[in-house]
Amino acid sequence: MMQQVIGPESTAERVALWRALHVEIDPAPHVLEDEIGLRLIDPDAGWRARGDMDPETTSLSRACVVARARFVEDLVVEQAAHGVDQYVILGAGLDTFAQRRPEIASGLTVFEVDQPGPQAWKRQRLDELGFGIPKWLRLVPVDFEAESWWDRLISAGFDPSRRAVVAETGVSMYLTREANIQTLQRISALAPGSTLAMTFQLPLDLLDAEERAIRQAVENAARASGVPFLSLFSPDELIELAEAAGFASAQHISTSILTQRYFADRTDGLRPPSAEQFLVATT
């Protein structure tokens, strides 16, 4: 069993800092306003000088992380208005929905599923910053290599007989194809009317030359850090897998849809990359 990491995982930290950087350097209106992750991390004063925080070279990544978070949160708000009262975040990392949107989150039971070490650190930081852990927020620690996230979720009070929204963003590419299929099968068995919002990465041959070069660099870096990309999907392939897993319907949400929804009126050229797309599937 791998030794637990105490502190945020590097990918989660980077995502949180990009979200804060969007607020700090991109002009309004902001796609997402999230500086709580920055407060959780509390980096040294020179964090913006890091190579992975360069305003120009990280613009696509910055747009990607705020677009994905905004899309999921809009979906949760929409579903909550229709009576859905459970929200599950798989691989929650430094997600701050519960802290930023308590007026919505407090009407739900929010389940954050993540590795035990980073989650214990996050719990401590939430206490130190005065947010605490309200009764409607359930932190669900899971050693994904040794135990079932589903069993841990049920133990935390999740009710599979009631509708839920399940979000899995920035995760699928690190899982094997078989693990992705198993996750689809598990979530497809939730109560009718439940929704999965899942990001996935396109194969290289579906990217243009500029994004292909960027993606190859990202894959190389991921491999070097011990978390290689294992699963890439075309939209049609993932829709077929979702339907075969038992979902009643599955829809591809393209980058162009996200761009039109959240970036259409921007004059700074900020836009998300086409490399990451969304699957939205309902039971």
Side-chain angles (χ1 to χ4, degrees):
M1 184 182 302
M2 295 179 63
Q3 183 178 5
Q4 295 293 349
V5 176
I6 304 301
E9 294 179 326
S10 61
T11 51
E13 177 185 66
R14 192 175 301 117
V15 164
L17 293 180
W18 280 336
R19 286 162 69 149
L21 198 63
H22 174 57
V23 177
E24 292 195 5
I25 70 173
D26 295 323
H30 297 119
V31 178
L32 185 83
E33 295 194 359
D34 180 13
E35 295 179 291
I36 293 177
L38 176 63
R39 293 174 60 193
L40 288 170
I41 298 166
D42 191 25
D44 61 49
W47 70 273
R48 281 178 55 173
R50 289 172 34 169
D52 58 357
M53 293 295 130
D54 178 82
E56 296 300 323
T57 60
T58 66
S59 64
L60 286 172
S61 298
R62 205 163 62 245
C64 177
V65 300
V66 296
R68 73 159 68 139
R70 175 66 181 275
F71 177 78
V72 170
E73 291 187 12
D74 284 354
L75 176 65
V76 171
V77 171
E78 172 191 293
Q79 292 298 305
H82 289 90
V84 175
D85 63 358
Q86 298 184 109
Y87 175 31
V88 179
I89 311 170
L90 296 178
L94 294 174
D95 189 275
T96 59
F97 172 75
Q99 292 75 45
R100 288 180 297 103
R101 304 293 303 275
E103 76 284 1
I104 301 296
S106 61
L108 308 167
T109 305
V110 180
F111 299 88
E112 294 192 10
V113 182
D114 206 2
Q115 297 281 358
Q119 192 170 82
W121 173 87
K122 183 179 182 180
R123 178 186 291 273
Q124 177 180 320
R125 290 295 294 143
L126 287 172
D127 285 339
E128 290 170 352
L129 291 175
F131 290 107
I133 311 295
K135 63 181 181 180
W136 43 263
L137 176 60
R138 312 285 172 85
L139 301 186
V140 186
V142 178
D143 182 345
F144 292 98
E145 295 183 358
E147 57 189 340
S148 163
W149 64 265
W150 176 255
D151 291 344
R152 295 287 294 171
L153 185 63
I154 297 298
S155 297
F158 180 77
D159 184 352
S161 71
R162 296 209 318 275
R163 290 179 297 161
V165 174
V166 180
E168 184 194 75
T169 61
V171 174
S172 65
M173 65 278 202
Y174 300 121
L175 304 178
T176 64
R177 180 183 178 88
E178 293 72 23
N180 277 298
I181 290 172
Q182 289 172 1
T183 299
L184 289 171
Q185 291 172 335
R186 170 59 70 186
I187 297 170
S188 73
L190 294 180
S194 297
T195 306
L196 166 67
M198 167 187 171
T199 59
F200 62 98
Q201 293 281 332
L202 296 179
L204 280 172
D205 60 4
L206 295 183
L207 304 179
D208 63 29
E210 178 185 2
E211 283 202 30
R212 190 178 302 125
I214 294 171
R215 172 53 173 287
Q216 286 176 321
V218 170
E219 285 198 44
N220 290 339
R223 189 179 303 108
S225 64
V227 284
F229 282 21
L230 300 177
S231 295
L232 309 172
F233 299 101
S234 71
D236 288 345
E237 179 185 16
L238 195 54
I239 286 174
E240 288 177 4
L241 288 175
E243 291 175 345
F247 281 96
S249 66
Q251 180 183 9
H252 167 222
I253 305 297
S254 68
T255 300
S256 61
I257 292 174
L258 297 180
T259 300
Q260 181 61 35
R261 185 176 297 185
Y262 302 123
F263 299 84
D265 297 327
R266 299 194 67 88
T267 59
D268 59 353
L270 190 71
R271 61 174 180 82
S274 62
E276 183 174 275
Q277 312 265 321
F278 261 102
L279 170 77
V280 175
T282 55
T283 59

